[in-house]
Amino acid sequence: MAVGIFDSGLGGLTVYDAVSKRLPDVPLVYFGDNAHAPYGVRDADDIYDLTTKSVERLWDAGCDLVILACNTASAAALRRMQESFLPENKRVLGVFVPLIEALTERRWGDNSPPREVAVKHVALFATPATVSSRAFQRELAFRAIGVDVEAQACGGVVDAIEDGDVILAEALVRSHVDALKRKMPHPEAAILGCTHYPWMEEAFQAALGEDVKVYSQANLVADSLGDYLRRHPTMIGSGTDSMFLTTGDPARVSDRATQFLRRKVEFIAA
Ligand code: DGL
């Protein structure tokens, strides 16, 4: 039994961490496509090709259910994968919907028409590919009306995190928050729309100010996966071993992951 968790690199470990705490008995196979990160500067076809290849590797590891713990892949590839790539017995879930359900205070499966919600001014921080896809705004429009979303494409932040350069990542976060605030001076809520960004959550919160509610995905996705597995217990695949796979240099990726998760993590070559 194993569930796959995929990201272009280290960001999905924020989701992995939350899922492993929420569902300690479910074996998890993590796949980081570090050799090809960042995805956020690639075009949609490229992201689709890389994502499908990575998901196939997770199927080989016994995962029938794969979480795309990557907003960029969820934005650029998920719908196409669901329409034309997935066999009957496999499922791929993205990370947008649990976040938007939390923002719009909806329960899972509430398909009622879009309605007014409490927040009116929302800042979205994401990769250039996620921002240009407008996938977040599209999903939000199914559920809420009257919400003004200002998006900031946060170039460079994923690269800095992948390189383990926290000081650069923090400086970039401050400058992206400044740029956002020039367009929307008083957001009520901020969405960290990239799974790498929770590693920099304190920097986002400090730059935004304490009165801005910051939404990040890890716990929301873990809760929603718990819910999904309760409803679809057979989707826990045939694999029984937890492992960390990377297309990058396993020693280097293991060092970075150990630094972020603050416990020993050993990646092996995918
Ligand atoms: N963690 C990915 C996301 O959530 C990062 C994308 C990238 O590699 O640029 O979007």
Side-chain angles (χ1 to χ4, degrees), residues 7-8 11-12 37-41 69-73 127 130 158 193-196:
D7 183 40
S8 61
Y39 279 16
V41 290
C70 176
N71 291 268
T72 309
T127 66
T130 300
V158 168
C194 167
T195 53
H196 281 71

Side-chain angles (χ1 to χ4, degrees), residues 103-106 115-120 140 143-145 147:
L103 183 75
T104 56
E105 293 170 16
R106 274 179 186 245
R115 56 179 181 253
E116 291 225 19
V117 293
V119 282
K120 299 285 178 229
L140 184 64
R143 296 168 179 83
I145 45 177
V147 184

Side-chain angles (χ1 to χ4, degrees), residues 5 10-24 28 30 69 198-199 218-219 221-222 244 257 260-263 265:
I5 299 184
L10 296 166
L13 289 174
T14 55
V15 174
Y16 169 87
D17 196 32
V19 170
S20 64
K21 287 174 180 150
R22 173 80 166 71
L23 304 167
L28 301 172
Y30 186 86
W199 299 126
N219 287 325
V221 172
F244 294 90
F260 282 123
L261 286 177
R262 299 196 178 130
R263 65 180 174 81
V265 177

Side-chain angles (χ1 to χ4, degrees), residues 75-188:
L78 179 59
R79 185 181 287 190
R80 188 167 156 198
M81 289 169 79
Q82 287 171 334
E83 279 167 6
S84 57
F85 165 78
L86 286 181
E88 259 308 282
N89 58 341
K90 310 282 188 215
R91 291 285 179 280
V92 175
L93 302 177
V95 282
F96 273 30
V97 171
L99 180 78
I100 291 173
E101 285 175 344
L103 183 75
T104 56
E105 293 170 16
R106 274 179 186 245
R107 296 185 66 79
W108 184 88
D110 174 355
N111 291 324
S112 59
R115 56 179 181 253
E116 291 225 19
V117 293
V119 282
K120 299 285 178 229
H121 303 285
V122 175
L124 169 67
F125 297 94
T127 66
T130 300
V131 169
S132 66
S133 75
R134 296 189 60 80
F136 179 85
Q137 288 91 328
R138 199 173 52 234
E139 290 294 337
L140 184 64
F142 291 136
R143 296 168 179 83
I145 45 177
V147 184
D148 180 18
V149 177
E150 192 62 65
Q152 176 66 28
C154 298
V157 176
V158 168
D159 307 63
I161 292 170
E162 287 288 312
D163 289 343
D165 192 339
V166 172
I167 297 200
L168 175 60
E170 285 173 351
L172 288 167
V173 165
R174 283 193 293 275
S175 95
H176 287 303
V177 170
D178 283 350
L180 183 284
K181 281 185 163 177
R182 285 196 288 278
K183 298 179 281 186
M184 178 183 274
H186 302 294
E188 299 154 56

